[in-house]
Amino acid sequence: MFNSQLEQEWCLQELKMAAEAGVTISALGLGSAFSTVADNSQSIILTSGLTIPVLQTVQELDIWGTDINQAMFIKLLSYVKECPRLTSLIFWKSQMPDVVDPEQIPSQLKQRGLKVIRDDEAKDDDACQLDLESGRWKVPD
């Protein structure tokens, strides 16, 4: 995702056209443009104020350098639940909750096998994957 509002508007138009044409998008990187999730969990709000509606054809969503608390994380998971082809949610150098209440994780994501990964290169540790059943981060085998 681009940082200027004009570039973001252009990218959003491309996403809309891809969805209308049924074109699969392998990954969408929001970079530091991610701000929050709308209260109804039906859109992502960018730092520019623009919104990304539910993504119909994106397979992976990447977010960088964002502080995400438990409440925002749960809203983001609710948003992801509505994105039918999304199989991976990746956080790069982002502050994340250490544990997520597994009761708050939508069961549809568990059934879909969503991969939620965090990779904090600044800590020089391996990427961790969220175990959707326990709500704990684990280093994959």
Side-chain angles (χ1 to χ4, degrees):
M1 182 62 76
F2 302 103
N3 290 323
S4 80
Q5 185 167 346
L6 183 61
E7 292 171 320
Q8 289 175 6
E9 288 173 357
W10 175 83
C11 187
L12 290 172
Q13 282 289 52
E14 294 292 315
L15 286 170
K16 181 180 176 184
M17 289 188 307
E20 289 171 356
V23 175
T24 299
I25 298 172
S26 60
L28 174 63
L30 296 182
S32 58
F34 173 86
S35 176
T36 190
V37 177
D39 288 336
N40 65 4
S41 299
Q42 293 297 307
S43 62
I44 288 175
I45 301 171
L46 303 176
T47 54
S48 66
L50 295 172
T51 60
I52 300 175
V54 170
L55 298 166
Q56 297 297 322
T57 62
V58 174
Q59 294 177 320
E60 178 182 301
L61 183 61
D62 296 349
I63 298 172
W64 287 278
T66 303
D67 291 341
I68 300 197
N69 62 28
Q70 175 105 342
M72 186 186 306
F73 188 74
I74 296 302
K75 283 192 338 185
L76 187 54
L77 289 179
S78 293
Y79 169 84
V80 167
K81 175 184 78 171
E82 302 301 323
C83 302
R85 293 192 195 172
L86 200 70
T87 57
S88 297
L89 177 60
I90 303 176
F91 298 92
W92 300 93
K93 297 183 181 182
S94 296
Q95 294 293 320
M96 306 293 298
D98 290 330
V99 178
V100 178
D101 180 358
E103 297 295 316
Q104 301 254 345
I105 299 172
S107 61
Q108 297 92 327
L109 298 181
K110 296 173 186 178
Q111 294 165 355
R112 191 189 308 173
L114 176 74
K115 290 183 182 178
V116 181
I117 298 167
R118 76 168 193 211
D119 191 347
D120 188 357
E121 296 168 357
K123 291 185 180 176
D124 204 26
D125 58 2
D126 291 328
C128 297
Q129 184 170 334
L130 182 65
D131 179 324
L132 299 177
E133 296 298 328
S134 70
R136 299 191 178 279
W137 297 98
K138 299 182 178 184
V139 177
D141 297 330

